[in-house]
Amino acid sequence: MSESPAAASPYEVLGVSPSATDEELRRAYRRKLRQSHPDVGGSAASFHAVQLAWERIGSPASRAAYDGARYPGATDAGGAGRAAGPATARSASTGVKARMYGHPGGHSRQRYLALLREWAGRGTTIEDPYASDLIRSAPREIRHRLAKALAEESTAQLIAGLGIGYTAWHDVATLGDVEKIDHVVLGPAGLFAILSEDWGAPVQLRRGELVGDALEPGEEPLSEFAAAARILSKSLRVRFTALIVVAPDEAVTEPFSLPSRGRRAMVVVIPRSRLVGVLRDGIAGMERGSFEKVFELRSTLQNGIRFVED
């Protein structure tokens, strides 16, 4: 079961409140187990999810451990029970870092905080907006905003470690309906627009678009990303080598891609562990950049890119 803030909690999988009694929890588990069994029309994935949920909270000891656990990346500096606070892209590795501009994850964190305050209600004091119990109780839309911020920060840390031959701009403003592109990265392999995501569940490609249990009907992340990249490309008068969607490894087990079509650049969807390799070496079917173009493009991008406000 994913540890992402956007993922369904064991309580949500079993369909009970976090305040449910042990007996209510047990009855819910037995009911969900019957409903999700493949022999009665359920799926192996949902049946397995129910079993994992029970492992996490089925006994008083495991339930107490889950309820008191922090999300991965939590830091004692923020206090017990906190999820990770804003990360700095410069903390990725030792040695010479990539040139970095903008605030990775900043806009998504601000949106998370705004939505959280709106959900909590006017006049409500939130002492710790990153407390794990508060995050788990928030609606999935709000949790997704935090998960996305963490994903953007993780991507920025990987990019920073690529070295001085790379330049990255984060939270880049566009003029279209999609307010920003998470990252624009320039290096020897080319110019890339990157979408950092974490929906909290696996995704797959179907008819040229991403689909998955965590995506809403009609949601079209690839189309929106491509449209935003096309607008930015036109405004800056540059051409992206490829558009990259990076998601957690458990969400995308193997890379998949859409070939370039018309004015749309090639789109690749990759697990986070593959990102560094793609930015360094490219991927099959990509047009590789040249050193001459890197120097020329860096000046163009630095003069033309604008950032969204936190």
Side-chain angles (χ1 to χ4, degrees):
M1 182 174 294
S2 173
E3 296 290 351
S4 163
S9 72
Y11 295 106
E12 289 173 320
V13 172
L14 297 178
V16 296
S17 166
S19 61
T21 65
D22 291 344
E23 181 58 31
E24 289 172 336
L25 195 65
R26 190 176 298 107
R27 289 200 299 266
Y29 166 63
R30 291 171 178 168
R31 182 174 61 253
K32 287 290 185 179
L33 205 61
R34 291 193 299 269
Q35 294 173 347
S36 62
H37 199 285
D39 290 346
V40 294
S43 68
S46 59
F47 185 67
H48 184 55
V50 171
Q51 292 175 308
L52 286 178
W54 181 250
E55 288 179 8
R56 299 295 297 277
I57 61 173
S59 71
S62 62
R63 186 176 183 181
Y66 173 81
D67 290 343
R70 293 175 292 170
Y71 283 107
T75 172
D76 291 336
R82 286 177 60 100
T88 59
R90 294 186 178 275
S91 64
S93 66
T94 58
V96 180
K97 309 295 192 301
R99 296 178 177 89
M100 307 283 277
Y101 301 94
H103 186 180
H107 184 71
S108 291
R109 278 192 181 269
Q110 290 301 317
R111 289 295 300 143
Y112 162 72
L113 293 171
L115 289 170
L116 188 70
R117 294 187 187 102
E118 181 180 341
W119 168 69
R122 181 176 298 178
T124 301
T125 300
I126 301 176
E127 295 183 0
D128 185 356
Y130 298 109
S132 293
D133 56 349
L134 176 64
I135 294 170
R136 290 191 181 106
S137 65
R140 207 166 191 177
E141 175 193 1
I142 297 176
R143 294 176 0 227
H144 171 245
R145 280 290 180 173
L146 177 58
K148 178 167 175 56
L150 294 170
E152 293 173 27
E153 291 163 6
S154 295
T155 296
Q157 289 176 341
L158 292 173
I159 294 169
L162 287 168
I164 198 170
Y166 294 81
T167 307
W169 297 263
H170 307 286
D171 273 3
V172 176
T174 69
L175 301 177
D177 294 334
V178 178
E179 56 195 355
K180 74 184 183 84
I181 289 178
D182 298 338
H183 323 272
V184 173
V185 180
L186 177 64
L191 177 64
F192 303 94
I194 301 178
L195 170 65
S196 293
E197 260 298 357
D198 180 1
W199 292 281
V203 293
Q204 57 185 315
L205 188 66
R206 183 182 300 163
R207 297 180 181 177
E209 188 52 84
L210 289 178
V211 296
D213 292 342
L215 293 172
E216 298 293 333
E219 192 172 351
E220 299 181 330
L222 289 190
S223 297
E224 293 179 359
F225 179 35
R230 188 162 54 247
I231 291 171
L232 185 63
S233 175
K234 183 177 180 180
S235 67
L236 296 175
R237 297 182 180 180
V238 299
R239 181 181 179 184
F240 288 110
T241 306
L243 313 182
I244 301 174
V245 179
V246 58
D249 285 23
E250 60 268 23
V252 181
T253 55
E254 290 294 333
F256 46 87
S257 63
L258 292 171
S260 60
R261 184 180 64 195
R263 293 182 297 170
R264 191 192 70 183
M266 179 182 189
V267 180
V268 295
V269 183
I270 59 173
R272 185 168 291 117
S273 60
R274 299 284 191 97
L275 178 62
V276 170
V278 169
L279 293 178
R280 281 180 174 159
D281 306 322
I283 199 170
M286 285 184 182
E287 296 180 8
R288 193 173 178 85
S290 66
F291 286 106
E292 292 79 8
K293 287 185 177 180
V294 167
F295 290 110
E296 180 182 340
L297 280 173
R298 183 182 295 136
S299 177
T300 298
L301 294 165
Q302 190 64 24
N303 291 331
I305 279 180
R306 298 294 179 268
F307 302 99
V308 293
E309 297 181 0
D310 291 348

